[in-house]
Amino acid sequence: MKKTISLLLLLVLLLAFASCSGKNKLYVVELPLTPASENRFAGIEIDGFDYERITDDSVQKTRQVTVDGLEYTCVYQYTEISPYYKCSCDVYRAEGNNGFVCNIKLNKETGGVVMYSYGFENGYVTKKGDKSYEDCKKIAEETAKRNTGTRDLVFVEKGADKEPKNDEKHGDVYEFTFVRMIGGFKTNIEIKVGVNTDGWAYSCDKGANPSYNGLLIDKGFMKKAEPADDKIIDRKIRSLYRSDDVAWEQTDSCFAKLKDESLCVIYDITVTPKDRGPETVKLLRFVEN
């Protein structure tokens, strides 16, 4: 009898531990995407939330697509199946003279343009390059508002570097991030716009990569992680960077909803490794509905 009770108690404890550990598990949903970071994160997978690339034979192979007021004849490339809510996309490509290329993502459910990116495969030749950071920021904001059809956007400072970076396909460039607001509440829908110093908005991602289609449904929710979450985040960050010599700070968080209607919270973690600048890691934790 005592042995049976002991076994039952052990089973209860194991189930309780499993429940707690599952609830507190953090999943990596985004890592820094730079050439320098690829080697550092080699072998680390996005925890079951990565995009799947397939060929969909039912998709129209050639079509006319209007991007920011201009029409392009585009050829189907592949389909991105996303684990997130209403974010799967058909990817098209248009090619022009002098190596000009336009890549476009169309929402598979609505057919709307959710991302476009222009570039010159043979290299971009700078014309003037005299636009300042503030000039380019203003161009990016107007581009974001025009493409999303809303003016209710808030600029988000992503790092302190206000010097342009040289991109062979786009020239000297700045990248800007805006967050959509609904009813005075911040959503987790980001709009990212790239602008070069000629004043050319060469890319606009309207939040489908990634977008969880979730709203911040409780004002101020999880602005700062609780102490228990801090410990879990700390372990996860040190594991990802394979080092104890890293500093991190939670800079944001929001509720999100996946395709299966499960609710989770997304943490934006700014990590500063030794001898390197800050970079952002996104972590996901499931919560009870």
Side-chain angles (χ1 to χ4, degrees), residues 14-247:
L14 287 172
L15 287 172
F17 176 78
S19 175
C20 290
S21 60
K23 180 181 177 182
N24 292 326
K25 182 175 181 180
L26 287 171
Y27 297 87
V28 180
V29 292
E30 186 176 315
L31 289 168
L33 295 177
T34 65
S37 70
E38 288 180 2
N39 291 333
R40 289 191 283 112
F41 294 110
I44 297 175
E45 295 183 1
I46 305 298
D47 289 318
F49 296 97
D50 208 357
Y51 287 84
E52 180 185 356
R53 182 179 295 190
I54 67 168
T55 299
D56 186 346
D57 293 332
S58 68
V59 172
Q60 188 176 337
K61 297 302 182 283
T62 303
R63 61 185 297 175
Q64 300 296 118
V65 180
T66 300
V67 176
D68 205 13
L70 297 175
E71 190 173 71
Y72 296 91
T73 300
C74 302
V75 178
Y76 172 73
Q77 303 295 302
Y78 55 86
T79 295
E80 278 187 352
I81 303 298
S82 164
Y84 307 117
Y85 186 61
K86 293 183 179 178
C87 291
S88 295
C89 295
D90 295 321
V91 181
Y92 283 81
R93 179 183 176 97
E95 297 183 6
N97 298 325
N98 303 319
F100 175 81
V101 169
C102 179
N103 292 302
I104 304 167
K105 288 184 182 180
L106 302 180
N107 185 295
K108 197 161 186 62
E109 183 168 323
T110 67
V113 176
V114 293
M115 188 284 288
Y116 65 79
S117 176
Y118 306 112
F120 288 88
E121 296 292 311
N122 300 330
Y124 182 82
V125 179
T126 302
K127 300 171 186 176
K128 295 180 182 178
D130 58 357
K131 300 291 185 184
S132 69
Y133 173 87
E134 290 299 328
D135 291 335
C136 291
K137 178 183 171 184
K138 190 175 296 183
I139 292 168
E141 184 174 5
E142 288 305 312
T143 300
K145 290 176 179 178
R146 185 171 62 250
N147 279 276
T148 58
T150 179
R151 304 195 70 79
D152 203 3
L153 302 175
V154 175
F155 173 66
V156 179
E157 191 76 54
K158 293 278 186 177
D161 187 5
K162 293 187 178 180
E163 293 298 318
K165 296 179 181 179
N166 186 262
D167 182 324
E168 184 178 341
K169 296 180 182 179
H170 307 107
D172 290 338
V173 302
Y174 294 102
E175 292 188 349
F176 302 92
T177 301
F178 303 87
V179 172
R180 184 167 183 176
M181 306 289 289
I182 296 179
F185 289 86
K186 178 181 174 184
T187 74
N188 62 339
I189 300 172
E190 292 186 344
I191 299 91
K192 299 179 181 180
V193 181
V195 181
N196 72 5
T197 52
D198 288 339
W200 182 42
Y202 63 86
S203 69
C204 182
D205 185 337
K206 295 190 289 184
N209 185 21
S211 168
Y212 313 91
N213 204 44
L215 297 180
L216 181 65
I217 59 178
D218 183 9
K219 191 174 183 179
F221 171 77
M222 295 292 286
K223 183 58 184 176
K224 292 296 178 184
E226 296 175 359
D229 293 316
D230 272 341
K231 293 179 181 179
I232 299 167
I233 291 172
D234 188 68
R235 287 199 299 269
K236 192 72 174 181
I237 293 300
R238 294 179 191 282
S239 173
L240 285 173
Y241 282 79
R242 303 181 178 92
S243 171
D244 288 332
D245 200 3
V246 294

